[in-house]
Amino acid sequence: MSEAGQEEMPGRPARHRWLLRGVAAAAVVALLAGVAYAALRPRQGSTVAEPSGAPTPSPSASPTPSPLPEPGADITGPLNILLVGIDTRISVPSWQPHADAVMIMHIPEALDRAYLFSLPRDLIVEIPAFPKAQFSGQRTKLTHAMSYGSRVPGKPNSPDTAQGLELLATTVSSYTKIRQFDAAAVVTFQGLQRLVDALGGVDLYIDQRVVSRHRQPNGKHRAPGHGGYVGPQMVYEKGMHHLTGWQAVDYARQRYITGGTYARERHHQQLIKAIVGKLLDQELVRDPARLGAVLQTLGKTLTFDGGDQSVIDFAFALSGLRPEAITLVSLPGYGVGTGNSYRGEELNEVGRKFIAELRAGRADTFLAAHPDLVVPDPPPLTQESRTPDRGRPAADS
């Protein structure tokens, strides 16, 4: 059986629904919610101590009904989850959202490990016709699928992000040949920042020096100037750092850095993995009140749709997935055209082959033969390295 392709799984019910809004971290928030819920809920066959003074049931008492199946018991792997990060430009209501990050998390049949890989935002793809938005189809950059799909005829100032996701998902399915996504989610910069802050920040290994084009060291936005932004710049130095919400999002957004868009994709993946680690922190798992506060903080930015399955269903199904079991995969590619004639990006043969091998259930074998595709784990976190990143000014750009 294929691990990712619907073609090899006849009869499996389709569970994807594309009318979604929310954050990419919805899946991992769901996972944590399930873990916390499981900690409070008696397991099948467990013996729960009665409160002091509670009467002991007599042998003649009615037999205990059979326990209900755990939530998500009917969710089986493999699973594919589409995670999208968008730039919504809240200050510009008519701004059509662009897909700045497009990630796919593939979870094999056992549901105890995962692969997370990105598609370049500027990947050249065929975006199919989409009557809902009166879009006739075009061969162009992947990022535009979200913006073209979000157009609402007759309402130029009211783009529909959920509708844009529908076209983006169709486009990604066509390119990757992954015909079924079991869930999908969207994250805005604001939503992801709020999530990281609600978690008290994240520990993230910064793998190269990054100078921000958008933020000052104090977190304020840099002022627009002639040909770009002006003013002091936040600098993220290589090493382990504890980042706040705005720092984490700002760092992951930067693409005018060594490695360009492919380095930014790697940083997106590293941030998602760091969030998973923080969500699975034992103190948080054992604190339902704090977990509830995290979910409340996200508010309307958090929506998770798993088709016929609820958030708790997916949470229980993925409760065996740990951060260290998430393999980050960097797909190599190259730019097409240069300067003013730049058209976009294309994955090379190795990058395209990985997706095909993933669909066929041979990802491990392929990665063993191409270890350079695996993003290495950060060095062990020590108390000395757990320091806040306050940044420092850099020369104006």
Side-chain angles (χ1 to χ4, degrees):
M1 177 182 291
S2 164
E3 282 193 348
Q6 186 187 31
E7 311 95 304
E8 294 79 18
M9 294 184 286
R12 180 174 179 177
R15 293 198 294 262
H16 57 289
R17 295 177 183 175
W18 301 122
L19 299 183
L20 311 172
R21 292 186 179 88
V23 299
V28 289
V29 170
L31 163 64
L32 179 61
V35 173
Y37 177 58
L40 298 175
R41 179 176 178 270
R43 293 279 183 173
Q44 296 182 21
S46 65
T47 301
V48 181
E50 296 289 342
S52 176
T56 302
S58 66
S60 60
S62 300
T64 303
S66 300
L68 295 175
E70 285 188 340
D74 58 340
I75 293 180
T76 58
L79 301 173
N80 295 293
I81 300 175
L82 181 63
L83 307 175
V84 183
I86 63 172
D87 178 3
T88 56
R89 301 287 176 91
I90 296 175
S91 60
V92 185
S94 61
W95 178 264
Q96 295 169 356
H98 290 67
D100 270 11
V102 179
M103 291 177 280
I104 297 172
M105 179 175 283
H106 173 69
I107 305 166
E109 187 172 1
L111 303 183
D112 60 351
R113 56 195 173 95
Y115 304 93
L116 182 65
F117 65 96
S118 301
L119 298 178
R121 71 185 294 277
D122 292 339
L123 183 68
I124 299 173
V125 296
E126 292 287 349
I127 303 178
F130 192 57
K132 288 183 182 180
Q134 296 182 354
F135 175 67
S136 60
Q138 184 179 347
R139 182 172 178 79
T140 185
K141 299 175 182 178
L142 178 62
T143 184
H144 296 318
M146 173 67 75
S147 53
Y148 291 154
S150 70
R151 295 174 178 174
V152 179
K155 298 181 179 180
N157 294 325
S158 302
D160 188 332
T161 301
Q163 184 176 287
L165 179 58
E166 184 177 354
L167 178 57
L168 178 66
T170 301
T171 303
V172 171
S173 291
S174 177
Y175 180 83
T176 63
K177 303 300 187 294
I178 297 175
R179 300 295 180 86
Q180 174 177 303
F181 288 101
D182 302 277
V186 177
V187 60
T188 66
F189 294 147
Q190 180 190 36
L192 190 57
Q193 178 175 324
R194 289 166 63 183
L195 174 61
V196 173
D197 282 335
L199 294 173
V202 293
D203 294 311
L204 190 66
Y205 181 73
I206 294 175
D207 57 17
Q208 66 183 67
R209 187 176 188 267
V210 171
V211 179
S212 174
R213 290 173 60 89
H214 307 103
R215 297 274 195 161
Q216 302 179 40
N218 61 7
K220 293 183 178 180
H221 290 275
R222 299 180 69 214
H226 181 69
Y229 299 97
V230 297
Q233 296 170 265
M234 177 68 178
V235 178
Y236 303 92
E237 299 290 356
K238 184 175 180 178
M240 185 67 72
H241 297 272
H242 183 78
L243 303 183
T244 64
W246 74 262
Q247 291 171 333
V249 173
D250 181 53
Y251 167 72
R253 285 188 63 189
Q254 305 307 314
R255 63 181 172 131
Y256 295 100
I257 57 178
T258 303
T261 188
Y262 296 95
R264 183 169 75 159
E265 290 171 11
R266 182 176 70 247
H267 298 163
H268 286 155
Q269 296 171 5
Q270 290 167 337
L271 176 56
I272 293 298
K273 188 170 181 176
I275 291 174
V276 173
K278 194 62 180 284
L279 285 166
L280 289 173
D281 181 282
Q282 289 302 306
E283 292 183 4
L284 182 56
V285 169
R286 296 170 182 169
D287 190 345
R290 185 181 169 201
L291 175 60
V294 169
L295 297 175
Q296 186 176 9
T297 298
L298 292 175
K300 294 182 179 179
T301 67
L302 174 61
T303 298
F304 178 81
D305 190 334
D308 296 331
Q309 307 290 348
S310 70
V311 169
I312 292 296
D313 290 333
F314 268 91
F316 265 86
L318 300 179
S319 61
L321 181 62
R322 307 297 300 178
E324 58 269 20
I326 300 176
T327 299
L328 306 184
V329 180
S330 179
L331 302 186
Y334 54 91
V336 179
T338 59
N340 293 333
S341 64
Y342 173 74
R343 292 175 48 223
E345 300 290 326
E346 290 188 1
L347 295 182
N348 66 16
E349 183 179 356
V350 173
R352 295 192 301 271
K353 184 66 173 177
F354 168 78
I355 298 175
E357 292 298 290
L358 183 82
R359 293 199 315 268
R362 298 189 293 264
D364 280 343
T365 301
F366 188 78
L367 292 178
H370 299 83
D372 54 312
L373 299 187
V374 178
V375 178
D377 290 330
L381 181 64
T382 64
Q383 190 61 38
E384 290 74 19
S385 65
R386 191 190 295 267
T387 56
D389 187 344
R390 297 183 176 86
R392 61 182 180 80
D396 290 358
S397 64

